[in-house]
Amino acid sequence: MISAPDVVAFTKDDEYEEEPYNEPALPEEYSVPLYPFASQGANPWSKLSGAKFSRDFILISEFSEQVGPQPLLTIPNDTKVFGTFDLNYFSLRIMSVDYQASFVGHPPGSAYPKLNFVEDSMVVLGDSKEGAFAYVHHLTLYDLEARGFVRPFCMAYISADQHKIMQQFQELSAEFSKASECLKTGNRKAFAGELEKKLKDLDYTRTVLHTETEIQKKANDKGFYSSQAIEKANELASVEKSIIEHQDLLKQIRSYPYRKLKESDLSAGEAEHTQEQAGQASTTSNPDEFADTEIYTSRPAYTPKLIKAKSTKCFDKKLKTLEELCDTEYFTQTLAQLSHIEHMFRGDLCYLLTSRIDRALLKQQHITNFLFEDFVEVIDRVVEKQGSTSFEPSRDRPPSRSLEECLIPKVLISVGSYKSSVESVLIKMEQELGNEEYKEVEVTEVSSFDPQENLDYLDMDMKGSISSGESIEVLGTEKSTSVLPKSDSLTSLTVPLSPQVVRSKAVSHRTISEDSIEVLSTCPSEALIPDDFKASYPSAINEEESYADDNEGAIHFQASTSSPDLREEKEGSVENTPSQTDSSCCIGKESDTLLVPLPTPAHKLVDDDGVVNIPPQCYRQKDQGFHVDFAVENVNLSSQGNSSESFPPYELDPSCLLASRDISKTSLDNYSDSTSYVSSAASTSSDRTPSSLHPTGPSSERHKKRAGQNALKFIRQYPFAHPAIYSLLSGRTLVVLGEDEAIVRKLVTALSIFVPNYGRYAKPVKHWISSPLHITDFQKWKLIGLQRVASPASAGTLQALSRYSRYTSILDLDKKTLRCPLYRGTLMTRLADHRTQIKRGSTYYMHVQSMLTQLCSKVFLYTFCHHLHLPAHDRETQELVASRQVSFLKLNLGLVNEDVKVVQYLAELLKLQYIQESPGTSHPMLRFDYVPSFLYKI
Amino acid sequence: MSTLCPPPSPAVAKTEIALSGESPLLAATFAYWDNILGPRVRHIWAPKTEQVLLSDGEITFLANHTLNGEILRNAESGAIDVKFFVLSEKGVIIVSLIFDGNWNGDRSTYGLSIILPQTELSFYLPLHKVCVDRLTHIIRKGRIWMHKERQENVQKIVLEGTERMEDQGQSIIPMLTGEVIPVMQLLSSMKSHSVSEEIDIADTVLNDDDIGDSCHEGFLLNAISSHLQTCGCSVVVGSSAEKVNKIVRTLCLFLTPAERKCSRLCEAESSFKYESGLFVQGLLKDSTGSFVLPFRQVMYAPYPTTHIDVDINTVKQMPPCHEHIYNQRRYMRSELTAFWRATSEDDMAQDTIIYTDESFTPDLNIFQDVLHRDTLVKAFLDQVFHLKPGLSLRSTFLAQFLLVLHRKALTLIKYIEDDTQKGKKPFKSLRNLKIDLDLTAEGDLNIIMALAEKIKPGLHSFIFGRPFYTSVQERDVLMTF
């Protein structure tokens, strides 16, 4: 309810005016602007343009006893920064606020001057006419030659935005306090040194005077003192007094309270230094007394000189500079700290505030941060380090170690065993082992996992796997898809098969072929794909499921998954392993895609609830059902010419296809490895120019901007950006193939923003590699820039690529093609819309970041949703749980088609990361699946 | 200063204020710059306490210093500048509002200050804007009063032929007292009832086993959605303090720690007054089951407000930022004009304005139903209850949700910044923005815009063109692009 008295006064039936309100009676100076932002130029950014300086800067000013307030230096020391801004006037303004209220000098009733260790004052003030506002940090330094021994200084952070200062007052205050402490510590040191010298001078003077007096005494035989002798005696007394005064001052400066040092955040060196002294001193005396002693003692030898007893208070003397007052080392450190402050608070307030909120929120989600965040913990640590040791300029720099150097995921077992872990799947499919034998092998593998053994017998598998490149491409134009052109998917990548490879294919006994039907398309969307192919897509995508569920030929799979004995055995094999999950992590089942982790994590996927994760075998068994050898007679209508190479006859045997059809009772398309569609549309290849190579270190703003820019270019220029990004997000390694290193690196850097991390420290991205790819590369890297060299010597590189092409997506930059699985979800559309009006790379990067955060949120929910991963009752089978999971992903998280796989993959990464014994040492894993690939072309 | 100034005297008029709770405020002062004597203190307000923390002499010393350097004052006409001091030597913080005014025939500089112990720095900083906004407005009114008083005094001097120096300028003090006391009360109430920086999710609705356990699902969705659409500014009223506070804490989960510290829980027995400028505040209904919201103060809040009644599960919201600011400004101008035209002191008493402005009629129906549905909060609420309570999973999920919102807000700002070349060009493509940033649901856009407004003030007014368009009108206009 709204109270009446407030409104009665204004209640009237008039309507809102359309014109600005006009009230001549009230002087404008007493009124308020109707449009508060109009006075600043009617936009939220223009308030910064009213000031005479271009950006924030730091000003150090002094209240000089000779000339009054004066500016000393600015940071950055660039006249362009403060422009026409009147530093003299502003110094006068900020220094006229005298808050060093404490008395310094001769207090009434005190014989000697007294030093007060005044605390700093902080003031925020402004000059609204000039549009300048400042955080001013007042401090006092000691100077033996100054009036009252003090020199008032201030450091001011000057900005055009007052809110920026007030909203970050505590941070500014903390940072400037560090700088001030540094200056003051150096000053105490210098002041003590000055006093020591003075004392030595006075002592020497006293000795000289004393000697002179004695001489005069001896020379005096008249019985009375001459005026000269009296003068000498007075001078001597004055020197004596001065000595006592200076000794007292020295004692005062040395007894600077230890607590103050402790409270203030000093440089590491000094803090340690001081603590050591305190420790030493505590055995003998009060630590406060000796806190600074050592700082002030180690000095070079000094030759005393004769001085006048009374200091001259002349105004023509040259005052010490700030550097002289504070000791050069400390002064330099202070400047470094001030530069750090200037850098820290530079820029628009909204970005500073958001980054602060970001950091706070990210701290609360350390579980998921590793996926897409830019090494948050590392950065935080650096920031903390900077905070504590910010006086050391060198520490302000980011760590110099390159990430590629230090952040490569640790490989725990030999290369050979990795090979075997993948290729074993293939060889088992080839070898006509009986069910029982096969089971035995598998169980042994899971329970013992002897790398050496695997290496031995899987080496054999490798040979077999080389021959697995058979494929059938269906090439056609958008309009004429009824005639299927013949093409080898590998030839589209310009990877001719070597005779050796062919030979080994010929001798292999594989019952499965990686045949493919490729539909090359200008557009990844289903809408433009001819109807003939459309119908086949769902079955092609769901081939794993269809095998698992429908394929009668998949006897190994059926037997394996339905065998309770085997399951018991599996459970037994992992029973003894200690549980690594806690109650909040409850995933009890592997996703459909296969993750082959290293032995250690593989044995840990059991949760507290006793849910046993299905080990990777079941996926292999699915593949066992993939006993399909088929081919179609390809008719190449492509004008591209790159698919003109014909298949070897054995690859194109129609009878194999028919046979396979009979066995699998599925359509050709269902079991095609890849389908691509060639369009005759003109290429819209990007006009890329070589750029400087990007470091792989922590993402700087510049790096983000460039990555975003290039990613934006990529999604605009390549119509198949969606499946490429889908590959990255679903854990399928994407190889970017190209001749020009700069272009490849540029694109790899751009695409790396979509690559989920394995661990907390590095993205699994290899920007450039020229040697042949090895299986371990796929384990380590999810995005690889690969050099294409025309020379015969480099054939090995491409051969290796062709060998693994079934497990990888390949983006050929030279030919502008992409071979990868089909994507029909909606996530990528929002993430990488080629029609986006986003103009800048940095903005696009931010957009991607927010979308990926949204995705992470879904992944987190899916991973840690208890009821989703545990059987609702004892009789609920794993299949039912799995279908419940998929339905949750689709209905509750709104995921469509392949988007489900993205979340499932990321959930697997999350789960593995979560159950790691020591976070951050995430073991690489090799992931592969037999999803059909398609060839996209521009 | 002219002869009309009171003679220098160490004795400064003082008003002692009795507060029910602990007062973090040490004193408030009103000082002016005397052209002969320099800074002088005119009046002191201090809470009535047994232990004197700051003597009058010290207060005077500090207050004098607030005007130090103001002889160099270089301000725009009518500006009220804010100075903020942290004086470690004295262990105090001082907030001073410096302004120029005409008083007793001379133009001079004045300072209204509040003094707090330095230990209250982190308590005070989140409330700085609230205090400054409120004191600024009373200064605007006080300035007019001073100006008018001078005219009246001159007339009286001419008529009566005598100078009644002791009466000069005294009447501004009661006016300032009228706002200083509420500010003291506000700080006192915040000391005892402010929401803590860290909120235990167990004390909120988000800890329920399932959505709808504590309150109706639709109500919760509306409440959070509208709360976010009105920049996190909400008033929660109800008959049960426990119920009110649970919703207050729930809404505060969606705020930053600093904003939480600028929010207030409901008092168990009696109700606090509504305070303009707090983010979330719980208010207890009286025995008749109603709570009267002061229209003027609701209008003067920096952001529009969501009104949530936990008894009847209703959620109402004020118009979006730009409309709210426009209405607020018009109301302020009307109020100041009414002051300007007031003919007697009675007319100028703060809460009994009788003058009617001819051209402005505030719309009393400032609270309206939540019209725009969102997908962001809905999805969040649909999903968060799937996570097991009590394992910090929901806190993490909430943090992710907030991170998404903040990142989207920043992306939106950057998008507009790019599109308009930092405001140099008008923004024309709201439709593109919505599609590009996945904010096609109107409620989603409102939430993100509201968040963006907080970190980039003026964004609403800038984007939605002419600020006095209603939210409906502006959409019509923008959709034509």
Side-chain angles (χ1 to χ4, degrees), chain B residues 235-376:
Chain B
V235 174
V236 186
V237 297
S239 304
S240 157
E242 194 186 348
K243 209 172 169 184
V244 167
N245 284 342
K246 195 167 186 179
I247 296 293
V248 168
R249 288 196 187 93
T250 306
L251 296 178
C252 282
L253 283 176
F254 298 87
L255 300 179
T256 64
E259 289 167 349
R260 287 173 192 169
K261 285 164 88 175
C262 193
S263 301
R264 193 177 63 184
L265 294 167
C266 163
E267 204 175 22
E269 285 97 31
S270 61
S271 183
F272 287 125
K273 283 196 303 177
Y274 169 85
E275 296 288 358
S276 180
L278 297 184
F279 278 95
V280 184
Q281 52 187 315
L283 299 167
L284 208 60
K285 288 180 180 174
D286 60 17
S287 54
T288 62
S290 65
F291 186 91
V292 178
L293 277 178
F295 178 84
R296 175 179 165 275
Q297 290 185 41
V298 173
M299 287 294 290
Y300 282 4
Y303 301 115
T305 305
T306 291
H307 182 281
I308 299 166
D309 191 323
V310 295
D311 291 344
I312 52 173
N313 287 351
T314 56
V315 179
K316 305 270 181 185
Q317 66 176 196
M318 287 171 75
C321 278
H322 59 294
E323 215 172 313
H324 171 71
I325 296 291
Y326 179 70
N327 289 338
Q328 180 193 75
R329 289 297 168 139
R330 293 194 69 180
Y331 192 92
M332 274 183 186
R333 289 170 69 98
S334 297
E335 191 186 11
L336 295 173
T337 307
F339 260 74
W340 182 253
R341 293 177 181 172
T343 51
S344 69
E345 280 195 16
D346 291 339
D347 294 346
M348 298 170 83
Q350 194 179 343
D351 288 322
T352 53
I353 306 159
I354 56 165
Y355 248 74
T356 303
D357 184 77
E358 291 86 0
S359 58
F360 174 61
T361 306
D363 183 3
L364 290 177
N365 293 321
I366 48 170
F367 287 107
Q368 293 173 353
D369 288 334
V370 183
L371 295 174
H372 305 297
R373 302 291 160 204
D374 75 286
T375 64
L376 292 166

Side-chain angles (χ1 to χ4, degrees), chain A residues 1 3 6 12 14 16 21 23 25 32 89 99 102 119 122 124 127 348 373 837 839 843 853 892, chain B residues 65 72 74 84 86 89 293 327 330-331 333 337 340 357-359 361 386 407 418-419 436 456:
Chain A
M1 189 187 291
S3 68
D6 280 337
K12 242 193 152 194
D14 294 352
Y16 273 127
Y21 200 51
E23 288 168 341
V32 288
Y89 170 77
Y99 287 99
S102 297
E119 292 191 47
M122 288 79 94
V124 177
D127 189 327
D348 198 334
E373 297 304 326
Q837 297 297 309
K839 291 184 167 57
T843 313
T853 313
N892 291 68
Chain B
H65 276 66
L72 299 164
N74 180 30
F84 182 71
V86 178
E89 276 299 303
L293 277 178
N327 289 338
R330 293 194 69 180
Y331 192 92
R333 289 170 69 98
T337 307
W340 182 253
D357 184 77
E358 291 86 0
S359 58
T361 306
H386 283 287
R407 287 189 166 171
D418 295 346
D419 197 68
D436 291 342
K456 198 71 183 166

